[in-house]
Amino acid sequence: GAVVSQHPSRVICKSGTSVKIECRSLDFQATTMFWYRQFPKKSLMLMATSNEGSKATYEQGVEKDKFLINHASLTLSTLTVTSAHPEDSSFYICSARSPAGGSYEQYFGPGTRLTVT
Amino acid sequence: AQSVAQPEDQVNVAEGNPLTVKCTYSVSGNPYLFWYVQYPNRGLQFLLKYITGDNLVKGSYGFEAEFNKSQTSFHLKKPSALVSDSALYFCAVRDSTGTASKLTFGTGTRLQVTL
């Protein structure tokens, strides 16, 4: 149980275009999902917390208008990188927290490698 | 603010030998502590957690970790390393107070197990 998927696993796009990444909880309902960015040989940086039915909460320094997050249902959150630039190239990972009591941990997706050319 | 320190960028160990990956933390309240493993180009896999109770926590793949409140540490251990354990390991902490589930991760330690 507690499987989180991401789609696509890899995407290459041209500078100036937008890319949408999907994060799905496959066997549980996730009221809260998190989006992380991971640079090479670096730790995970939390970008935003996504709550179903409400606006995402962004971490300091993360541009809301550039990284659009939508948590439309209890099993789906999307991250759209708008007007992508080469510096947006990174590994993006989502995670989901189940509302069931006592679990505490977050379940992570397999990640999406974004390359902007 | 909460923080995690993993002082070693890389740990090298021979297969069959015990391994330790170090982690220290800082939170204002009681900590919830986690270890995750990441294989190349993959997401994070949960290994184990400490919430409350016994200081020695057993997790997946034979890993265990010991919570030490006085030293604010949560070192990951395994009695006998396998080559397949080679991966990137992250320690994470969350403050037990408040309703947010925001995790703070350490910088990661690369474990290299050789024959």
Side-chain angles (χ1 to χ4, degrees):
Chain A
V3 178
V4 176
S5 70
Q6 278 184 245
H7 178 79
S9 57
R10 288 178 176 269
V11 58
I12 301 173
C13 71
K14 291 188 176 182
S15 189
T17 62
S18 295
V19 174
K20 180 184 284 188
I21 302 170
E22 293 185 348
C23 177
R24 293 182 185 272
S25 56
L26 298 185
D27 51 2
F28 67 100
Q29 294 183 326
T31 52
T32 304
M33 289 184 170
F34 303 86
W35 286 96
Y36 295 85
R37 183 172 177 176
Q38 186 179 29
F39 294 94
K41 299 183 181 180
K42 294 287 186 181
S43 185
L44 278 72
M45 180 191 80
L46 179 64
M47 298 174 66
T49 302
S50 167
N51 293 299
E52 187 267 337
S54 64
K55 290 184 178 180
T57 302
Y58 290 81
E59 296 299 301
Q60 191 173 9
V62 177
E63 298 177 60
K64 300 178 184 181
D65 295 333
K66 180 165 188 61
F67 298 100
L68 301 179
I69 291 172
N70 183 24
H71 194 153
S73 74
L74 287 172
T75 59
L76 173 65
S77 176
T78 60
L79 168 67
T80 302
V81 183
T82 62
S83 187
H85 289 283
E87 57 265 31
D88 299 325
S89 298
S90 193
F91 195 54
Y92 293 88
I93 304 175
C94 74
S95 70
R97 183 175 73 92
S98 168
S103 64
Y104 298 101
E105 69 260 28
Q106 295 177 20
Y107 304 99
F108 286 81
T112 297
R113 170 87 47 205
L114 170 63
T115 303
V116 184
T117 60
Chain B
Q2 55 195 40
S3 65
V4 176
Q6 291 181 245
E8 303 154 315
D9 286 340
Q10 180 155 329
V11 169
N12 299 306
V13 64
E15 186 174 57
N17 284 357
L19 69 88
T20 300
V21 182
K22 296 179 180 178
C23 170
T24 58
Y25 67 89
S26 174
V27 294
S28 56
N30 291 320
Y32 294 157
L33 292 155
F34 306 83
W35 275 102
Y36 291 88
V37 60
Q38 184 181 32
Y39 295 95
N41 294 310
R42 302 291 296 275
L44 274 64
Q45 295 179 30
F46 170 78
L47 279 180
L48 51 80
K49 66 178 183 284
Y50 171 83
I51 304 298
T52 186
D54 288 342
N55 290 343
L56 184 63
V57 178
K58 293 187 183 295
S60 306
Y61 314 119
F63 284 94
E64 58 188 31
E66 185 166 12
F67 170 62
N68 187 316
K69 188 172 183 178
S70 62
Q71 297 184 6
T72 62
S73 67
F74 189 57
H75 301 331
L76 182 69
K77 300 182 179 184
K78 187 173 182 181
S80 178
L82 298 172
V83 172
S84 57
D85 292 330
S86 299
L88 187 57
Y89 290 81
F90 288 100
C91 181
V93 68
R94 178 199 150 193
D95 199 319
S96 62
T97 59
T99 57
S101 295
K102 192 160 81 171
L103 287 176
T104 299
F105 286 86
T107 51
T109 298
R110 186 164 300 282
L111 174 65
Q112 187 69 46
V113 182
T114 54
L115 290 170

